[in-house]
Amino acid sequence: MTLTQAEKAAVVAIWTKVAPQVDAIGAESLERLFSSYPQTKTYFPHFDLSQGSVQLRGHGSKVLNAIGEAVKHIDDIRGALAKLSELHAYILRVDPVNFKLLSHCILCSVAARYPSEFTPEVHAAWDKFLSSVSSVLTEKYR
Amino acid sequence: MVLSAADKTNVKSIFSKIGSHADEYGAETLDRMFTAYPQTKTYFPHFDLHHGSAQIKAHGKKVVNALIEAVNHIDDISGALSKLSDLHAQKLRVDPVNFKLLGHCFLVVVAIHHPSVLTPEAHASLDKFLCAVGAVLTAKYR
């Protein structure tokens, strides 16, 4: 799946708004994930998952910053996320379905904060982008 | 997802063993899919879907021949299936989940008829190949 120029532009445009709030949006996305899809907590037995926990904020920030890296290198997501791809393949082994769930939660958080910018076209562009990121992160599994 | 050299060898070997039975396996794959996953019949309102129907036989043959094309051009599956990819994107619009179901049924058919061929490694390679084909056929959806 490839992103068109218009789609890349839409992704980058929203990211400029998201970037200053990376920590908050990251934490919120994870909170949504753990509340709506409790099975995802299985990957975090070592975390305090209560609302506002330091670990949630820290991890949310990590996740969203990685997405920011992918946005910065939107023409070579595979290159930008190569190390993370290996981490997920050899150590984390998060089941691929969970990437869809997290992507959905990120989209909800972004939509909630930027309702007027989140047009159907922007929504589609972001969904394609997050799907690409998810593919890259699972492509070395086997 | 990238097919390793070993994957390609395994897939070619499996298809060479299937040989002349390919057409009948195609029909059996569809038959199993319609039986186990009746929702897939939604794409064939114009077919007689009874066991052994001439249309299932013909369509099974088409599907398997497309897989064989992909095997014969295993280094460039997107190129080989480009027209089919357009067809699926613009006309057929088969929901992507169904490619997994079809792939699964094909694997089952191979396992039944050639149990010794489908070692765990060969199984993994064939599954990867079928996923790659599915990805190509849905790549142009958006």
Side-chain angles (χ1 to χ4, degrees):
Chain A
M1 162 185 24
T2 43
L3 295 167
T4 64
Q5 287 307 108
E7 284 162 348
K8 290 179 188 177
V11 171
V12 169
I14 295 280
W15 184 257
T16 54
K17 302 201 144 63
V18 167
Q21 301 196 54
V22 132
D23 290 2
I25 295 181
E28 185 188 320
S29 301
L30 290 182
E31 262 177 62
R32 289 178 182 280
L33 181 69
F34 296 136
S35 311
S36 293
Y37 312 107
Q39 67 272 27
T40 55
K41 295 195 260 188
T42 195
Y43 297 102
F44 299 90
H46 52 305
F47 264 31
D48 162 12
L49 296 176
S50 53
Q51 220 188 19
S53 99
V54 166
Q55 286 176 307
L56 256 188
R57 271 191 93 86
H59 199 68
S61 173
K62 244 196 225 181
V63 169
L64 262 266
N65 277 321
I67 288 177
E69 271 307 287
V71 175
K72 269 197 210 97
H73 300 91
I74 204 166
D75 290 315
D76 180 24
I77 298 178
R78 192 173 268 137
L81 300 186
K83 285 213 157 44
L84 261 185
S85 181
E86 282 168 13
L87 181 72
H88 282 79
Y90 305 130
I91 297 181
L92 303 178
R93 296 184 184 151
V94 172
D95 189 294
V97 302
N98 296 293
F99 291 91
K100 289 200 215 294
L101 301 179
L102 177 60
S103 298
H104 167 73
C105 292
I106 292 173
L107 283 176
C108 285
S109 295
V110 171
R113 281 163 196 264
Y114 309 106
S116 49
E117 284 100 337
F118 208 67
T119 61
E121 291 73 26
V122 166
H123 177 168
W126 262 84
D127 194 62
K128 264 179 93 164
F129 168 68
L130 290 174
S131 291
S132 287
V133 168
S134 305
S135 286
V136 165
L137 294 180
T138 53
E139 84 185 349
K140 297 180 187 171
Y141 276 34
R142 58 173 178 172
Chain B
M1 159 184 26
V2 167
L3 296 171
S4 68
D7 287 329
K8 293 177 188 179
T9 304
N10 287 338
V11 170
K12 284 184 188 284
S13 161
I14 291 170
F15 273 81
S16 72
K17 300 211 165 74
I18 288 177
S20 54
H21 297 282
D23 292 355
E24 104 203 26
Y25 292 176
E28 190 181 333
T29 297
L30 290 180
D31 206 32
R32 285 178 179 276
M33 188 182 72
F34 294 137
T35 308
Y37 311 107
Q39 66 272 26
T40 55
K41 296 195 263 189
T42 196
Y43 297 102
F44 298 89
H46 51 305
F47 265 29
D48 164 12
L49 295 177
H50 293 102
H51 288 298
S53 99
Q55 286 175 307
I56 292 190
K57 285 200 166 95
H59 199 68
K61 182 173 172 179
K62 250 197 220 176
V63 167
V64 135
N65 282 331
L67 289 179
I68 292 173
E69 246 327 80
V71 174
N72 290 339
H73 298 89
I74 205 165
D75 291 317
D76 181 23
I77 299 178
S78 328
L81 300 186
S82 172
K83 288 213 157 46
L84 259 185
S85 181
D86 290 337
L87 182 69
H88 282 78
Q90 290 150 19
K91 293 220 166 59
L92 303 177
R93 295 181 184 157
V94 172
D95 190 292
V97 303
N98 296 294
F99 292 93
K100 292 201 212 301
L101 301 179
L102 180 65
H104 166 73
C105 291
F106 182 72
L107 265 170
V108 165
V109 168
V110 172
I112 287 175
H113 293 286
H114 300 274
S116 52
V117 166
L118 216 67
T119 62
E121 292 73 26
H123 174 166
S125 297
L126 185 55
D127 194 61
K128 270 176 91 168
F129 167 72
L130 293 168
C131 284
V133 168
V136 164
L137 294 179
T138 55
K140 300 178 193 173
Y141 275 33
R142 58 172 181 173

